[in-house]
Amino acid sequence: MTEFTQISVSIEAVAEVTINRPKQLNALNSQTLTELDQALDLIENSNEVRVVIIRGSGEKAFVAGADIKEMKDKGAIEATEFSRLGNAVFQRIATLRQPVIAAVNGFALGGGCELALACDIRYASENAVFGQPEVGLGIPPGFGGTQRLARLVGPGYAKELILTARNIKSDEALRIGLVNKVVALEDLDKEVKSVADRIAKQAPIAVESSKALINQGLDLPLEHALELEALSFGSHFATEDQKNGMEAFVNKEKPTFNRK
Ligand code: DAK
């Protein structure tokens, strides 16, 4: 386990990143974002990590947003730098080669909702609350909320949530497709670990390619995206994982995958 001042990260097949500012409801300041970036360095450079879980510490919040206390006195240049840092870190999560799962307990507001949106899969506890309260603070969402929320739940719901600054509970978040699954708080870690373990057992190169293909394809015309898929598909036939996976199926055995 590597402990930074506000983030801890364990590097193993299922890596766990915890945001550790429970008294401030895990609000993200510049230090938290910088440490998150450093945790991503460790994950990206590890040959061991297959999947990542991000959670907030304590039972009250995943992340209650960007740190308003730190942000409120920023000038235009500092605010732009803060926004660039946040955007770079969140984009890094979204495009990280390994899949990232958000385990959302309690508040996921503003930058917290945007952090969950940057992840690939979102599981929430029944007490989770999602929202983009920024317009009530005099700013638009700044860490990708206007873009990723609209892509995930559609422009209608995204506009309603962002323009009204209304918070929603986990049942509504599930209904509009903002989260994949809602479970009791006491089951959240177990359920998230179970989906992470399942991903970690699949062929790693194929998992990484699938994440990248879905992400990249959504920004391309279908024709180009399908060609990208075909090229990626073909390239997997030069991997040991493909040989092992198909050989094991034919021999009615369990495959072993070595990310080769
Ligand atoms: N920032 C800083 N401190 C926060 C915080 C936040 N976002 N949220 C909570 N805290 C702190 C509280 O100030 C309090 O600290 P102390 O007073 O004890 O020192 C402690 O956490 C506990 O919070 P409460 O006492 O308020 O707890 P309650 O249960 O009464 O209320 C709450 C929980 C989540 C409803 C409430 O704390 C709340 O409304 N928090 C703010 C939620 C919010 O508005 N979040 C969105 C922040 S804006 C951009 C970059 C990024 C962004 C935008 C632009 N660019 C640079 C362009 C993102 C913006 C945001 O995320």
Side-chain angles (χ1 to χ4, degrees):
M1 177 80 76
T2 303
E3 300 274 358
F4 298 97
T5 61
Q6 299 177 13
I7 299 275
S8 65
V9 56
S10 68
I11 297 295
E12 45 205 322
V14 177
E16 304 207 4
V17 176
T18 304
I19 299 166
N20 232 330
R21 292 187 81 205
K23 286 193 182 137
Q24 300 300 307
L25 305 188
N26 303 316
L28 303 170
N29 60 22
S30 311
Q31 184 66 24
T32 332
L33 290 171
T34 302
E35 292 181 6
L36 199 46
D37 202 35
Q38 290 164 349
L40 293 173
D41 284 339
L42 297 178
I43 289 167
E44 210 157 47
N45 293 331
S46 156
N47 201 23
E48 197 184 341
V49 176
R50 299 283 179 260
V51 56
V52 182
I53 297 170
I54 298 186
R55 61 166 59 85
S57 66
E59 291 200 347
K60 222 176 143 183
F62 174 64
V63 166
D67 189 323
I68 301 170
K69 293 167 191 158
E70 186 196 67
M71 202 167 32
K72 77 179 178 42
D73 295 323
K74 286 191 190 300
I77 291 177
E78 278 178 303
T80 305
E81 281 166 3
F82 184 62
S83 183
R84 284 201 183 118
L85 175 63
N87 270 330
V89 174
F90 284 22
Q91 185 62 6
R92 231 186 132 183
I93 291 170
T95 58
L96 196 75
R97 64 182 165 79
Q98 299 96 335
V100 185
I101 306 169
V104 180
N105 60 327
F107 294 107
L109 301 178
C113 187
E114 291 166 307
L115 177 59
L117 288 167
C119 297
D120 301 295
I121 295 171
R122 285 151 290 280
Y123 273 29
S125 56
E126 283 162 353
N127 70 331
V129 174
F130 295 84
Q132 298 284 165
E134 285 90 342
V135 296
L137 295 163
I139 51 173
F143 290 153
T146 56
Q147 304 310 307
R148 292 201 181 94
L149 187 60
R151 281 166 168 76
L152 191 63
V153 304
Y157 277 118
K159 284 176 185 164
E160 185 194 334
L161 292 181
I162 290 171
L163 305 183
T164 61
R166 176 169 74 87
N167 290 346
I168 59 170
K169 294 188 181 156
S170 52
D171 55 344
E172 190 173 353
L174 182 65
R175 185 164 55 76
I176 68 174
L178 177 44
V179 296
N180 297 65
K181 192 169 183 180
V182 176
V183 299
L185 177 60
E186 60 271 24
D187 294 333
L188 183 63
D189 287 348
K190 188 182 63 181
E191 292 272 347
V192 169
K193 184 71 169 44
S194 155
V195 70
D197 283 341
R198 199 179 157 100
I199 293 171
K201 280 194 203 125
Q202 312 305 320
I205 300 172
V207 166
E208 292 171 16
S209 307
S210 300
K211 168 174 171 170
L213 283 167
I214 293 169
N215 282 346
Q216 290 166 20
L218 285 171
D219 292 329
L220 292 173
L222 183 61
E223 209 182 3
H224 295 179
L226 289 172
E227 180 57 15
L228 200 66
E229 185 186 75
L231 292 170
S232 174
F233 179 80
S235 73
H236 287 70
F237 287 74
T239 68
E240 280 179 21
D241 284 357
Q242 177 269 331
K243 307 280 173 244
N244 292 346
M246 294 195 178
E247 196 68 37
F249 174 79
V250 171
N251 295 330
K252 302 190 188 305
E253 292 166 357
K254 276 206 172 343
T256 49
F257 296 121
N258 300 312
R259 198 172 178 272
K260 283 189 179 157

